[in-house]
């Protein structure tokens, strides 16, 4: 089932209506990648994972609003049909609903994206409600929350104990009730993520969660095999471009050293 025409830009209400229909989400951080992914995806997520994937940071904690705005604007320049959602980085929304509004409004105004995503459940419900009532669509993010890596003591999956399962369920409910249009459920036991999907009225987007989530999201560099630092169990690699890049660069280096590149075909010669 498709709720939108093939070329018509996908809107936030379209995504809400797609509850029960598989939604394809992928991260994108640059214009050329957005151009490639656009026709295949419902949502391009400018994730703060860019801090680890593009900038070599050990976590997402040092990502700034300026970085997210620059990459959000780049992705918007490559997107025609897919809906673009930009992550709010750590420290730009947790202090108060007013702080969140000021920074999320900047993200929307300076990138042209459709919505923001922020991490947190019950504790962020007031902020989500504040933003959505003031014209800022919000996607929630519950379960494993990478911005809380220091509290959790690492990137570990959740929902294995009854308390953890109840907490993720409560968080997803709170986010949905607060007005989020969708919620990313990350690193959460399959049965818990599927129960959440059945119980809440908004689409759930799984990553390391459940095949029963309404949609799935992955980090594009994991999908393509260009990020090798750390590959979580839930990643499926659809290509090994990292190896292809290494082989191409090795051949280039060899040819330059052997003076086999450039050839006459690659240089400008005087005509006649
Ligand atoms: O930052 C990110 O890329 C994300 C997705 C992995 C959901 O939040």
């Amino acid at each position: 089932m498709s709720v939108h025409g093939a070329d018509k830009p996908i809107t936030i209400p379209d995504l809400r209506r797609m509850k029960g229909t598989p939604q394809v989400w992928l991260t994108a951080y640059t214009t050329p990648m957005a151009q490639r992914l656009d026709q295949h995806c419902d949502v391009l997520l400018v994730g703060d994972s860019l801090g680890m994937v593009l900038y070599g940071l050990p976590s997402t904690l040092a990502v700034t609003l300026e970085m997210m705005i620059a990459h959000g604007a780049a992705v918007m320049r490559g997107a025609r049909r897919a809906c673009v959602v930009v992550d709010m980085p750590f420290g730009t929304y947790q202090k108060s609903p007013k702080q969140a509004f000021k920074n999320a409004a900047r993200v929307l105004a300076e990138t042209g994206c459709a919505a923001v995503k922020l991490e947190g459940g019950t504790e962020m419900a007031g902020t989500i409600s504040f933003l959505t009532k003031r014209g800022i669509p919000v996607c929630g993010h519950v379960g494993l929350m990478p911005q809380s890596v220091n509290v959790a003591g690492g990137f570990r999956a959740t929902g294995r104990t009854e308390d953890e399962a109840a907490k993720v369920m409560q968080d997803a409910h709170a986010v949905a009730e607060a007005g989020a249009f969708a919620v990313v459920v990350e690193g959460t036991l399959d049965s818990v993520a599927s129960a959440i999907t059945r119980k809440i009225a908004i689409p759930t987007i799984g990553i390391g969660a459940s095949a029963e989530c309404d949609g799935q999201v992955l980090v594009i560099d994991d999908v393509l095999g260009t990020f090798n630092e750390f590959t979580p169990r839930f990643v499926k690699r659809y290509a090994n471009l990292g190896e292809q890049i290494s082989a191409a660069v090795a051949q280039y280096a060899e040819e330059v050293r052997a003076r086999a590149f450039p050839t006459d075909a690659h240089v400008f010669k005087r005509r006649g």
Side-chain angles (χ1 to χ4, degrees), residues 27 45 47-49 87 117 141 184 207 217 219:
T27 67
L45 172 66
D48 61 352
S49 51
D87 259 352
K117 176 168 82 58
H141 184 149
V184 167
I207 173 163
V217 61
V219 168

